[in-house]
Amino acid sequence: MGRSQTGRLALRAAVMAATGGGMSLAYNSSSIFGKERGDAVSVRHKMEAAGWKVPDRASQEAALKGTSRTNPLDMLVIGGGATGCGAALDAATRGLRVGLVEREDFAAGTSSRSTKLVHGGVRYLEKAVFQLDYGQLKLVFHALEERANILENAPHLCNPLPTMTPCYEWWQIPYYWAGFKLYDLVAGRHMLHISRFFSARESLEVFPTLSKGNPEGKSLKGTLVYYDGQMNDSRLNVALACTASLAGASVLNHAEAITLYKDEVTGKVIGARIRNNLTGKEFDVYAKVVVNAAGPFCDEVRKLSDEKALSMIAPSSGVHIVLPDYYSPEAMGLIVPKTKDGRVVFMLPWMGRTVAGTTDSVTPITMLPEPHEEEIQFILDAISDYLCIKVRRTDVLSAWSGIRPLASDPTAKDTASISRDHVVVTDDHGLVTITGGKWTTYRSMAEDAVDAAIQVGKLQPQRGCVTEHLALIGADGFDPSYFTILTQQYVRMKRTHGGKIVPGAFDTAAAKHLVHSYGGMAQRVALIAQMEGLGKRLAHGYPVLEAEVAYCARYEYCESAVDFIARRCRLAFLDTDAAGRALPRVIEILAAEHKWDKWRKKQEVQLAKAFLETFKSSHNAQFDDGKHKVK
Ligand SMILES: Cc1cc2nc3c(=O)[nH]c(=O)nc-3n(C[C@H](O)[C@H](O)[C@H](O)COP(=O)(O)OP(=O)(O)OC[C@H]3O[C@@H](n4cnc5c(N)ncnc54)[C@H](O)[C@@H]3O)c2cc1C
């Protein structure tokens, strides 16, 4: 970080501390559009006028309710995953009047349950080469461009991650070397770091838990290391929702589209009946175009428009497990390119723990898919062949399942083909559906969906798409060394059991955690910790602070305990037990923020416990770590 930037951040910290943390923040408005171009400048001005505070939930709901047949939105998006929030942001920054409803929470569906890779798809490159498939090559090329955009626009939530491919046969070295060099070449100027060969000795130095020999008794010959991006998926999703909101979109979580309205004469979709799932109250929203971004649930929404609609989604579930940090080095992943049954399994460091996965199984479509014991066991077996440590079922801290929205285009001639790329279809009633693709390509999917909506609704945007270089909330002010401002200039004020408030140091772990979760907004959280006595950790062994609960309730539409433990902080994904231990305090702080009564608090406990059950997979799994009951 340059001296001037350090100075700017320090000055900001000082001003914020001096103003007592008032949210009339001395926040440098040099913009979240750090690397903006052209039309994005005018969008920035609009966003600056919003004063850096997202409109509250009540005003977002009121804006949606304020629509009518004669005063419709330009576009209503159904679904607040990566695709839907990306579409809302795209449309709002083009100057369109847009609303978004999400029936649970932003990223409650697949978008919080990914492998967390921002990737071009090295596997698809292999296919492109061996099947001479130019289409696959184009997909990789395109995804690599989008990988670069994500890392540029949300640098606080993403990082380049080196990943090791172990070679236990000599022929594998030139084979993978050529593959990764081609990956570098296709990435071109978007390459993160150049791939390289590590000798067996170097590999073991970097990755001490790597096995020196494989189950067939062959010794490690070396490894190839390549780079992709890694992200905090649900926080990136929430950043998209909040940035869209700042740009003028009316985004509302816990609001479900239950019916679509059509014009009696034209038969075109003109709006939706929405149920606020927190209050149970229903209201209508009208829009010139409705965009269906409901991910694996998009057929459900398509059937609201046309009950005879053919299904597009072939759902497939993927399970991940989380293991202690010592399974992998802090900054090196492992890819098992071919498991015994030919699948790919990753083992990646993530947020201080190790994530391993994934699987591929046919599944019913549900909001709460559960990992099955055999899927967990499959992942454990796959990685154990490559590690020199005991891989134990009892080490699994959390396990979750997500549903891939693998889609085929119902209007395509070859309807049997299921593509990993995305599909945009408009039905006879003008409902635009966008699905498929992957997290990495959410932005271009959103762009295609908004382009389609503009055509269908004959909308008149003020400008073209500007999201390619549109920095998300938190990107401004972020710098990898920014955490030092927190450690040096803030204290964590903590309430003791006796009720006294005592100061504590802003340790490096907590500071880094805040900066990599909130970017330039980390100081807002630090101020809450300092000024409101909310500086305690929520769970032993994790740097998540009480202040985050208050911040997320005020600035990130965090409406329930599950919203917090699963999507705002990632405790449910990292360690189900730790999330359970944090619950009482999370609920207490949310209750104070949202003025919950006793009944609501009780309900929150029940809902959160039921949610966590689906993570630990206690219905199917057999934990034996002394804390869990073995069935
Ligand atoms: C196991 C697994 C691993 C993956 N790993 C990666 C990876 O490493 N990198 C990568 O790039 N991609 C990855 N993906 C793909 C990526 O996660 C998905 O493509 C992406 O998250 C899909 O986002 P979405 O917004 O389309 O769907 P979702 O995130 O599912 O969002 C749809 C939303 O619509 C809401 N909804 C549904 N019906 C309604 C309604 N009637 N009213 C209001 N809201 C409604 C749902 O609640 C849901 O939140 C992975 C996927 C899986 C399953």
Side-chain angles (χ1 to χ4, degrees), residues 36-264:
E36 69 200 9
R37 282 187 203 152
D39 284 331
V41 176
S42 58
V43 181
R44 163 159 63 93
H45 289 177
K46 184 175 166 203
M47 290 175 66
E48 280 174 358
W52 288 95
K53 184 178 182 321
V54 292
D56 63 19
R57 182 178 168 80
S59 48
Q60 295 289 45
E61 185 167 354
L64 292 173
K65 283 179 177 164
T67 61
S68 65
R69 289 185 76 139
T70 52
N71 177 30
L73 296 168
D74 286 316
M75 188 173 127
L76 173 68
V77 182
I78 299 176
T83 312
C85 289
L89 176 61
D90 184 310
T93 51
R94 290 196 209 198
L96 294 171
R97 207 175 142 215
V98 55
L100 177 145
V101 288
E102 159 55 51
R103 71 175 166 197
E104 290 203 5
D105 183 26
F106 308 117
T110 309
S111 295
S112 57
R113 296 163 179 268
S114 79
T115 311
K116 287 96 176 83
L117 283 173
V118 190
H119 64 141
V122 92
R123 280 178 292 160
Y124 311 133
L125 189 61
E126 195 179 6
K127 262 196 200 161
V129 172
F130 286 106
Q131 297 168 7
L132 294 176
D133 185 339
Y134 182 60
Q136 289 282 347
L137 185 67
K138 267 198 343 201
L139 280 185
V140 177
F141 186 74
H142 172 64
L144 286 170
E145 269 181 358
E146 292 300 336
R147 180 184 76 174
N149 291 334
I150 293 183
L151 266 80
E152 175 188 307
N153 295 332
H156 55 304
L157 295 170
C158 308
N159 55 280
L161 179 73
T163 302
M164 214 169 230
T165 313
C167 302
Y168 293 97
E169 309 259 10
W170 288 114
W171 65 264
Q172 290 175 329
I173 296 175
Y175 179 82
Y176 291 125
W177 184 89
F180 292 132
K181 288 297 162 195
L182 185 60
Y183 196 54
D184 291 345
L185 198 72
V186 177
R189 68 191 166 90
H190 300 308
M191 187 175 70
L192 297 173
H193 294 284
I194 198 155
S195 60
R196 61 160 285 203
F197 172 72
F198 279 57
S199 69
R201 191 172 55 83
E202 279 175 313
S203 307
L204 292 167
E205 267 169 31
V206 175
F207 208 123
T209 48
L210 189 64
S211 177
K212 288 183 192 128
N214 72 359
E216 286 89 53
K218 304 234 163 101
S219 64
L220 182 70
K221 309 292 185 295
T223 58
L224 281 141
V225 172
Y226 77 102
Y227 284 79
D228 256 325
Q230 191 184 36
M231 62 175 161
N232 183 337
D233 52 5
S234 70
R235 286 213 53 81
L236 187 56
N237 200 144
V238 169
L240 282 170
C242 292
T243 311
S245 170
L246 268 182
S250 305
V251 301
L252 196 66
N253 53 358
H254 300 282
E256 178 168 1
I258 49 172
T259 311
L260 290 180
Y261 291 132
K262 291 186 202 140
D263 184 279
E264 298 84 1

